[in-house]
Amino acid sequence: MFDRLLLTGAAGGLGRVLRPRLKARCRVLRVSDIADLGAAGPGEEPMPAPLQDKAAVMALLQGVQAVVHLGGISTEHAFEDILPANIVGTYHVYEAARVHGTKRIVFASSNHVTGFYRQSETIDPRMPVRPDGYYGLSKAFGENLAQFYFDRWGIETVSLRIGSSFPEPVDRRMLATWLSYDDLERLVWAALTAPAVGHTVIYGMSDNVTTWWDNTPARHVGYRPRDSSEPFRAAAEARQPAIDPTQPADLYQGGGFVTRGPF
Ligand code: NAI
Ligand code: 15L
């Protein structure tokens, strides 16, 4: 049980999923975003803040024991848009953690850090990054930042390379990349509470039968997924009867992200 946790990106898709689930596990949940956060529930502390505003982010981390950092641009965009939210913003979160002595950050990274590996490869978190766009590059920067702030300042991070966290997998790619909301909660909770993580990178996926990711190097996090994309296979395959591995979206793990832009 935490005293006060901070959830950034609380108004987003995953923020709305995690908000009540994290609230149940701490005394006060500070929620932040630039989008409308709605009414504060019991034990919630709304603090709107643009991540690119250093003073605002400094105030955000005051008095929190740990951060679940989801805020930022969550798909491929022009570098000029990604820079303030994902790169400068994540730097502000780590600087504020250093100043306030925050001990643990759970960073929402993305599978797009390694999106240019092929779907025919199985990779693990120790392999070199191959970002599939500016968005993936910004998440790779966040992971490097996390490593640096651990090595230099001892702030621990689990970087979650989330696959596709949606109500259900909707296409063949997501049969490999899907992370159910219940498994997302299990993963975030394990990342917040595992005794010693240093900086650990882990792929965020359910216990899918088909997968491209091997989380063996991150077993110490203690994440045990319980869901699987398999019950959704028939529907996903009916929706997308075949793949064409000559097309980049079907060849690379990053799917459609690998051909987005220029902007
Ligand atoms: P989302 O786009 O629904 O939510 C992101 C939130 O961040 C939004 O509410 C937005 O208003 C806020 N935000 C954007 N720019 C901001 C800024 N400059 N200052 C403050 N807040 C800002 O994304 P979603 O799906 O909820 O994802 C959450 C996190 O997880 C993101 O960091 C995303 O990159 C990551 N992720 C999500 C995946 C998924 O399957 N949903 C897969 C891989 C990574
Ligand atoms: C992501 O990083 C995005 O945030 C999410 O919206 C999905 O597109 C996901 O990756 C994915 O690869 O399916």
Side-chain angles (χ1 to χ4, degrees), residues 82-261:
I82 287 186
L83 178 66
N86 292 18
I87 295 182
V88 177
T90 303
Y91 161 70
H92 288 160
V93 169
Y94 277 86
E95 261 304 278
R98 180 186 67 75
V99 167
H100 294 302
T102 313
K103 298 270 182 283
R104 177 78 57 101
I105 297 177
V106 176
F107 170 55
S109 182
S110 170
N111 72 90
H112 295 286
V113 165
T114 49
F116 262 123
Y117 283 96
R118 291 177 182 231
Q119 295 186 9
S120 55
E121 292 173 285
T122 298
I123 59 173
D124 75 49
R126 290 174 302 201
M127 291 169 72
V129 301
R130 293 179 75 170
D132 59 27
Y134 300 113
Y135 167 67
L137 278 163
S138 75
K139 296 295 188 179
F141 173 81
E143 292 184 5
N144 281 340
L145 198 65
Q147 186 66 54
F148 169 68
Y149 272 79
F150 174 67
D151 291 339
R152 182 69 181 83
W153 304 108
I155 297 168
E156 292 199 302
T157 296
V158 181
S159 290
L160 312 179
R161 286 186 185 162
I162 301 169
S164 308
S165 195
F166 297 102
E168 61 182 70
V170 297
D171 57 21
R172 285 176 181 253
R173 174 177 173 272
M174 284 198 199
L175 293 173
T177 61
W178 188 58
L179 173 67
S180 74
Y181 288 156
D182 287 348
D183 280 342
L184 170 71
E185 178 186 1
R186 287 180 192 105
L187 177 59
V188 168
W189 190 246
L192 280 169
T193 57
V197 294
H199 174 229
T200 298
V201 177
I202 184 169
Y203 284 93
M205 60 185 174
S206 284
D207 187 18
N208 303 326
V209 171
T210 308
T211 183
W212 311 316
W213 305 323
D214 173 7
N215 267 335
T216 306
R219 284 182 71 104
H220 56 277
V221 172
Y223 165 58
R224 296 284 291 271
R226 291 194 205 150
D227 295 324
S228 164
S229 61
E230 214 51 26
F232 303 96
R233 178 175 292 278
E237 290 182 350
R239 213 174 281 126
Q240 186 189 11
I243 62 160
D244 177 358
T246 65
Q247 293 304 307
D250 288 339
L251 179 61
Y252 295 108
Q253 296 187 4
F257 277 54
V258 305
T259 52
R260 298 223 178 126

Side-chain angles (χ1 to χ4, degrees), residues 12-14 33-34 49 51-52 70 72 74 108-109 135 139 162-165:
L14 300 189
D33 207 297
I34 42 171
L51 290 161
Q52 57 271 37
L70 305 183
S74 62
S109 182
Y135 167 67
K139 296 295 188 179
I162 301 169
S164 308
S165 195

Side-chain angles (χ1 to χ4, degrees), residues 13-35:
L14 300 189
R16 288 196 302 272
V17 169
L18 286 175
R19 185 169 166 171
R21 300 177 189 224
L22 288 176
K23 177 62 218 59
R25 297 175 186 247
C26 61
R27 189 182 64 82
V28 177
L29 183 67
R30 185 171 290 169
V31 287
S32 186
D33 207 297
I34 42 171

